[in-house]
Amino acid sequence: MKIDGITLSSDALFAPIAGYSDVGLRSLCAEAGAGLTYTEMVSAKGLIYGNEHTEDLLHTTARERVTAVQIFGSEPEIMARAAESKALEKFDIIDINMGCPVRKIVSNGEGSALLKNPSLAAEIVRTVRRAGKPVTVKFRIGFEKNSRTGVDFAKHMQDAGAAAITVHGRTREQFYEGKADRDYIAEVVRAVEIPVIANGDVYNKEDYEEMKAHTGAAGVMIARGALGAPQIFAEITGAPFGYATVRDIVLKHIEILSSFHSETYVVNNMKKHVAYYCKGLRGGKQLKLDVFAAKSLDELVNAVKNSGTLDAPVCIDRKESL
């Protein structure tokens, strides 16, 4: 798969997930074969005005061969200035969030709110392109629960110069309820000439293959299906992934985070990750209690090392437990 001349190693991509797509999980997904990894969404204003927490979202590792930074905002000039900031120089692609359904974001005219203003959304794409990097857009198929405006919106993005688009097969008002509408994603694919990346309800290789076959999309973005299971990319791509047990993966995740972040950050961030790593595993409830009680890195690591739950071999299909 190519995005504006950038060749990806695979067409299975790891999504930008607020609170989860940290440098540790992104690095593991890339190691497992993800062709492109995205940061959590980053505030354009935070980049410009030097918000102290923004830098925490921008770390990358050498394992991430092609990287995208996802930014959000609703003011074209602010977005353009953010895209041109020195902090983003290392990223290959700039992705714009036009799909976040969270009330706080939408009420500011950002994220999914831009689905209701395609002209403004197109202007944002045009101004962000001034940074000289490929610009992509992630959005939903519509705003209201029963609306389907994604085809028209996709055309606006293409005309504005987007190099590729990612379509989540739900509306804003659905949030994550119901099933992703693969039929409508297929309509978007047929309506534009730029690459379309399909997103929604992919938890294993079978889901990935069905999504590609049903939609005709150039690529598939995996979000919740990779939480606690970065190995999903190895199953899809056949890439080697040298971790025998879930514990091995968790300890590597901790190691990577510890290379970039404070002890407090690592301990607090890993608690929510471990909740996913142990989903569906025997003894998972006790492990979560032990991990959530940890107040130091040593306590966290000891809880992980001493838990028989994480002796489980690395497996792929976690669909039923999510």
Side-chain angles (χ1 to χ4, degrees):
M1 179 182 173
K2 286 188 176 181
I3 296 178
D4 197 23
I6 298 174
T7 301
L8 308 182
S9 61
S10 77
D11 58 15
L13 318 180
F14 179 48
I17 312 172
Y20 288 93
S21 295
D22 58 42
V23 63
L25 186 53
R26 283 189 278 110
S27 184
L28 285 163
C29 289
E31 184 180 352
L36 176 61
T37 54
Y38 297 72
T39 67
E40 300 177 49
M41 64 180 190
V42 178
S43 165
K45 289 182 178 178
L47 282 165
I48 292 174
Y49 300 119
N51 181 286
E52 62 179 319
H53 300 298
T54 299
E55 187 176 337
D56 285 339
L57 305 176
L58 300 176
H59 297 297
T60 59
T61 68
R63 292 183 182 86
E64 297 177 86
R65 293 173 291 280
V66 184
T67 58
V69 57
Q70 187 185 73
I71 61 176
F72 73 95
S74 60
E75 301 168 69
E77 287 303 319
I78 294 291
M79 293 286 280
R81 286 174 58 194
E84 293 167 349
S85 69
K86 188 174 181 63
L88 303 191
E89 286 182 354
K90 63 181 175 179
F91 293 96
D92 302 290
I93 294 167
I94 296 176
D95 187 69
I96 303 173
N97 183 305
M98 298 189 184
C100 179
V102 175
R103 184 184 300 277
K104 180 180 178 181
I105 299 295
V106 173
S107 64
N108 287 333
E110 303 162 342
S112 289
L114 289 165
L115 289 166
K116 299 192 290 185
N117 194 341
S119 296
L120 174 60
E123 181 60 21
I124 289 171
V125 172
R126 284 192 288 269
T127 57
V128 170
R129 287 184 66 212
R130 295 196 321 228
K133 296 179 185 288
V135 175
T136 60
V137 182
K138 186 173 188 289
F139 60 92
R140 289 175 172 245
I141 59 176
F143 193 89
E144 288 79 17
K145 189 169 185 177
N146 296 314
S147 69
R148 296 290 186 274
T149 59
V151 166
D152 179 67
F153 195 83
K155 291 178 179 177
H156 275 82
M157 298 303 96
Q158 176 176 261
D159 293 345
I165 55 176
T166 299
V167 183
H168 181 120
R170 292 180 176 85
T171 66
R172 183 265 168 173
E173 290 187 352
Q174 282 183 278
F175 278 73
Y176 299 98
E177 295 179 353
K179 295 290 186 182
D181 190 338
R182 294 180 177 180
D183 289 336
Y184 194 80
I185 295 176
E187 289 187 37
V188 176
V189 171
R190 292 191 293 267
V192 295
E193 297 178 1
I194 57 176
V196 176
I197 301 159
N199 174 226
D201 300 337
V202 177
Y203 296 98
N204 51 42
K205 184 176 182 180
E206 181 182 4
D207 291 339
Y208 157 84
E209 292 175 342
E210 288 177 355
M211 177 68 90
K212 282 209 71 177
H214 195 110
T215 65
V220 175
M221 180 178 283
I222 300 169
R224 288 177 292 168
L227 298 183
Q231 64 269 20
I232 186 175
F233 293 100
E235 173 69 7
I236 289 169
T237 66
F241 195 55
Y243 301 90
T245 67
V246 178
R247 176 185 292 106
D248 296 333
I249 299 176
V250 175
L251 290 174
K252 187 64 177 181
H253 195 156
I254 293 171
E255 177 187 327
I256 297 169
L257 286 187
S258 297
S259 299
F260 296 96
H261 297 290
S262 69
E263 179 175 1
T264 298
Y265 179 100
V266 175
V267 172
N268 291 336
N269 215 49
M270 281 305 301
K271 289 177 181 180
K272 58 191 174 186
H273 282 295
V274 170
Y276 273 99
Y277 280 117
C278 68
K279 269 187 179 292
L281 300 181
R282 186 181 299 276
K285 183 177 180 180
Q286 183 59 52
L287 172 60
K288 284 192 286 185
L289 291 173
D290 293 341
V291 165
F292 274 76
K295 293 181 174 59
S296 69
L297 188 58
D298 284 344
E299 289 179 0
L300 171 68
V301 171
N302 285 336
V304 170
K305 286 184 175 180
N306 295 330
S307 172
T309 295
L310 298 180
D311 287 334
V314 174
C315 65
I316 302 300
D317 192 350
R318 308 288 291 280
K319 187 173 183 177
E320 295 304 318
S321 65
L322 292 172

